[in-house]
């Protein structure tokens, strides 16, 4: 009898661990990390296709591949997708998978809230993109400047998909930020003081604080815009006394910290890769921590450098110009510390290292053009030209995407248990580096020669043809580089597991457990005496034995739950209902249904045993 | 013994602070920026309305299809009463929490009921006020004052409503004996949120109703 019960529960256990339902109900941070990664990578490819169509349109003068209207949708969705559905959730993949592993925890602090964040993110991303099927992809720019977004100038549902979708995504971001904030504060392994945390955890921690403080501001701006479009207010409509510039202030008070939300996780990843492949501890650990904190702090005091062209007057211009230049100081500290880390190191030229080094070089170029924008007279010349496009692609693509790709090569063996092919990885790197520079370096020249952004074509004879043609060739090379990565990934996933626990001789706790980790991560909670616990152990023991998979019986894990998904659907329906807010249409029935579903999900969630 | 049991239920945290408490504080920090944005917008648009009605002073309003003179809309005595009730509710929830921690069921149920009643009074006051304004010709989109006012105080009111629902849920559980002293934290979390919503009102009340 007892045996049959045991067998039965074992079968049940096995069933619960695979199949669609197990993914829908999962609360395991590793699985949620994989869900974030897979979804974000698909969105990233979509954003890349949008970019490539933009490049095809601009390949020749007076091209008519796409209509001006569709071009507007393309560049709006390219920006929105890459920022909110690409880089942010790709970072979230690493937050999910590696924050608990790096701090020696069994999961995040609120596993079900984590699942909720993911589902809200996914539904929000799908919602924004759903406009495509109604010929209503958002088309007013990712920055949504008022009063172009007003009902008068943007009739149709395009901007509604955008304004509601971003609110849904904001809820996901804030829920996730609360979760990781508490996880890092409270779930660290014994001995891991704040100044012993891996640099990726530190930069992620700062990112969560930025998310918590920046997202409420854009939520308010989006609410105002939604009210203007549907409920008769005039927050940003001059005819009713409203001021479109208020949108720009609210948007950039969010938007500039958002820039650091996109880059600080990348800083963290690179700060993990460089020491491991230089066989030296991170140079200037404490300076790295505090420069990150300082960047985040200053990040809230520079927003108006996006608005020099609005004519704010000499005092505001001077203040925001100086505060912007000041950010170059802690950023420079970081760059010198990265160089100090590899200086004199025993460099291992593996693919992650290639991407980390590429990151430093590209990010410096983007950082320097950023300092150029901080001068208002120079900025007035550059505003709305391709020079700005060049700048932010050097920091977001040359910065964030290079670092995230390096992070993928570094950490995917831990996540999948399979090594990626090194040769293919290096081909990926060189193609991406060459394609990236061919695409974006000429934009500096085009911008200084006066080619405006966000315009669907340009006339022949202005000297723009050659550089634009070259950029499109570069973009094609980037596409090929991504295909190399996809093939590399698929081939590695089809092979049996071959990754050891610690393929790179890493310094941090995630390398002390098998690849991929078991559901409970650590059979016993590790103890930490420095910021490089595995190197301490390696020095002590000479070499590290390969950790064995253990049964994990008796280790207490949270129960799976589908209520986070129910609550997420509630959020989705609540806000989605506002899309139908027309006079004489009972849209509030949809919204109130959503509220009811949300309350049902939250109450069942609150009262189900967490396990 | 009960300490050991509690210890087994909650693994020790790095800081010794309860996880859910840190989470609520993080959320409150985030909410500060939410209300700061709403209050800033109210102030930026103060005095910028193109038509009436206005908070304090008389102005020209569109009413029944024609422009006419209308008085300031605010009824400060009523809102002062609502403010006082809301502030007292913060005091009451502290007493309820004390009761919960000490296992004093009578205190817990009594003061928690009083807290919920105060919250309901405040929400009722706001519903009355909004309806009253509407009948005075102040719709949501009438002017910048009405839009910023309704958005700011409306979001605050919805926070109060959520707090009432949260506290009522706990009251319901407590009445069924499901809030023993070792679970008093469940009430403390709701109380922290409740205090925050009160503190926001302490800013809104002078800035919106008293400042001219």
């Amino acid at each position: 009898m007892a045996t049959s019960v045991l067998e039965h529960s074992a079968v049940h256990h096995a069933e619960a661990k695979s199949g669609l339902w197990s993914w829908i109900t999962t609360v395991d941070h590793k699985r949620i990390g994989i869900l974030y990664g897979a979804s974000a990578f698909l969105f990233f490819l979509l954003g890349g296709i949008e970019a490539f169509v933009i490049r095809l349109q601009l390949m020749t003068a007076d091209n008519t591949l796409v209509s001006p209207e569709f071009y507007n949708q393309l560049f709006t969705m390219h920006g929105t997708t890459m920022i909110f559905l690409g880089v942010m959730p790709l970072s979230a993949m690493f937050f999910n998978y590696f924050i608990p592993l790096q701090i020696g925890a069994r999961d995040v602090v609120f596993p079900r809230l984590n699942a909720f964040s993911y589902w809200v993110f996914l539904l929000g991303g799908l919602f924004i993109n759903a406009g495509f099927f109604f010929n209503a992809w958002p088309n007013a720019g990712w920055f949504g400047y008022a009063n172009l977004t007003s009902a008068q100038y943007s009739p149709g549902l395009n901007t509604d998909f955008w304004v509601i979708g971003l609110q849904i995504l904001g809820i996901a971001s804030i829920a996730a930020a609360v979760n990781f904030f508490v996880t890092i504060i409270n779930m660290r392994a014994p001995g891991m003081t704040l100044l012993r945390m891996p640099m990726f955890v530190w930069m992620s921690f700062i990112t969560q604080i930025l998310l918590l403080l920046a997202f409420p501001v854009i939520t308010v701006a989006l609410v105002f815009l939604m009210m203007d479009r549907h409920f008769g207010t005039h927050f940003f409509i001059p005819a009713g006394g409203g001021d479109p510039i208020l949108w720009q202030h609210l948007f950039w008070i969010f938007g500039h910290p958002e820039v650091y939300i996109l880059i600080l996780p990348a800083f963290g990843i690179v700060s993990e890769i460089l020491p491991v492949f230089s066989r030296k501890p991170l140079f200037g650990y404490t300076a790295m921590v505090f420069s990150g904190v300082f960047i985040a702090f200053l990040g809230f005091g520079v927003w108006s450098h996006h608005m020099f062209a609005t004519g704010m007057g000499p005092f505001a211009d001077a203040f925001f110009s100086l505060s912007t230049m000041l950010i170059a100081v802690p950023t420079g500290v970081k760059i010198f510390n990265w160089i100090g880390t590899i200086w004199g190191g025993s460099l291992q030229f593996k693919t992650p290292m290639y991407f980390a080094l590429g990151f430093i070089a590209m990010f410096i170029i983007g950082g320097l053009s950023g300092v150029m924008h901080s001068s208002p007279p120079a900025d007035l010349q550059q505003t709305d030209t391709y020079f700005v496009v060049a700048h932010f692609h050097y920091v977001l693509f040359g910065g964030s995407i290079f670092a995230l790709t390096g992070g993928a090569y570094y950490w995917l063996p831990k996540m999948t248990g399979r090594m990626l092919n090194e040769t293919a990885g290096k081909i990926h790197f060189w193609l991406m580096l060459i394609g990236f520079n061919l695409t974006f370096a000429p934009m500096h020249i085009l911008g200084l020669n006066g080619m405006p952004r966000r315009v669907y074509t340009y006339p022949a004879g202005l000297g723009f043809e050659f550089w634009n043609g070259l950029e499109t060739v570069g973009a094609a090379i980037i596409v090929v580089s991504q295909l190399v990565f996809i093939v590399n990934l698929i081939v590695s996933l089809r092979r049996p597991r071959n990754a050891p626990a610690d393929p790179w001789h890493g310094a941090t706790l995630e390398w002390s457990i098998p690849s991929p980790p078991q559901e409970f991560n650590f059979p016993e909670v590790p103890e930490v005496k420095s910021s490089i616990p595995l190197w301490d152990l390696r020095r002590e023991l000479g070499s590290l034995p390969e950790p064995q998979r253990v049964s994990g019986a008796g280790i207490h894990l949270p129960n799976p739950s589908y209520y986070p998904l129910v609550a997420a659907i509630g959020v989705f329906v609540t806000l989605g209902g506002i899309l139908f807010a027309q006079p004489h249409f009972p849209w509030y029935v949809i919204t109130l249904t959503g509220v009811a579903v949300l309350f049902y999900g939250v109450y069942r969630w609150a009262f189900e045993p967490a396990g | 013994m009960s300490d050991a049991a509690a210890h087994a239920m909650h693994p020790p945290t790095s800081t010794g602070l309860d996880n859910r408490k840190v989470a609520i504080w993080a959320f409150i920090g985030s909410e500060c920026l939410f209300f700061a944005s709403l209050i800033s917008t109210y102030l930026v648009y103060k005095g910028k309305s193109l038509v009436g009605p206005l908070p304090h002073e008389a102005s020209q309003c569109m009413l029944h299809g024609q422009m006419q003179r209308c008085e300031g809309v605010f009824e400060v005595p009523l809102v002062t009463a609502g403010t006082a009730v809301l502030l007292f509710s913060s005091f009451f929830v502290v007493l309820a929490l004390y009761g919960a921690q000490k296992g004093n069921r009578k205190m817990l149920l009594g003061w928690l009921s009083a807290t919920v009643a105060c919250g309901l009074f405040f929400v009722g006051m706001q519903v009355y006020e909004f309806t009253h304004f509407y009948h005075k010709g102040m719709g949501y989109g009438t002017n910048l004052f009405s839009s910023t006012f309704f958005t700011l105080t409306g979001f605050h009111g919805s926070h109060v409503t959520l707090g009432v629902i949260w506290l009522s849920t706990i009251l319901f559980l407590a009445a069924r004996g499901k809030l023993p002293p070792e679970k008093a934290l469940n009430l403390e979390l709701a109380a922290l949120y409740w205090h925050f919503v009160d503190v926001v009102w302490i800013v809104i009340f002078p800035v919106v109703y008293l400042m001219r």
Side-chain angles (χ1 to χ4, degrees), chain A residues 366-444:
Chain A
L368 289 177
S369 57
V371 178
M372 292 168 75
H373 301 312
S374 69
S375 164
D379 183 74
L380 279 178
Q381 294 298 314
Q382 294 154 0
T383 294
D384 280 348
T385 72
Y386 265 87
F387 192 86
V388 177
V389 181
H391 158 70
F392 63 68
H393 281 91
Y394 266 88
V395 286
L396 285 183
F397 193 147
S400 300
I401 295 294
F402 268 71
L404 288 165
T405 312
Y409 280 98
Y410 181 60
W411 275 322
L412 272 173
K414 176 58 62 185
M415 297 170 71
T416 64
R418 293 159 177 92
M419 302 303 291
L420 289 154
N421 184 289
E422 270 293 310
T423 312
K426 282 165 188 169
I427 293 171
H428 177 192
F429 170 77
W430 285 114
L431 286 175
M432 194 157 124
L433 187 78
I434 292 166
F436 168 75
N437 280 294
L438 281 181
T439 308
F440 296 104
M443 288 186 188
H444 292 108

Side-chain angles (χ1 to χ4, degrees), chain A residues 126-243:
Chain A
L126 294 176
F127 186 87
I128 288 192
N129 277 291
F132 181 80
F133 300 104
F134 303 93
N135 195 22
W137 242 0
N139 59 354
W142 88 273
F143 40 82
Y145 275 178
N147 52 349
L148 178 62
T149 49
S150 64
Q152 184 187 355
Y153 297 116
S154 287
L157 291 174
N158 312 56
T159 300
D160 296 320
F161 277 109
W162 183 81
V163 75
I164 295 168
L166 283 191
Q167 287 178 71
I168 298 173
L169 290 172
I171 290 168
S173 290
I174 289 178
V178 168
N179 210 343
F180 290 117
F181 179 82
V182 183
T183 300
I184 295 171
I185 284 191
N186 256 359
M187 304 279 281
R188 283 166 286 132
M192 185 175 284
T193 57
L194 287 177
L195 287 178
R196 286 178 187 167
M197 295 196 306
M199 195 54 59
F200 175 68
V201 176
W202 249 113
M203 292 304 120
S204 305
F205 183 58
I206 298 168
T207 305
Q208 307 315 317
I209 296 171
L210 288 177
L211 284 163
L212 284 173
L213 299 181
F215 266 77
V217 183
I218 192 168
T219 303
V220 167
L222 292 167
V223 167
F224 289 161
L225 177 58
M226 189 171 77
M227 297 306 180
D228 275 3
R229 289 181 61 82
H230 289 292
F231 302 102
T233 59
H234 303 90
F235 286 105
F236 305 124
I237 300 173
D243 187 353

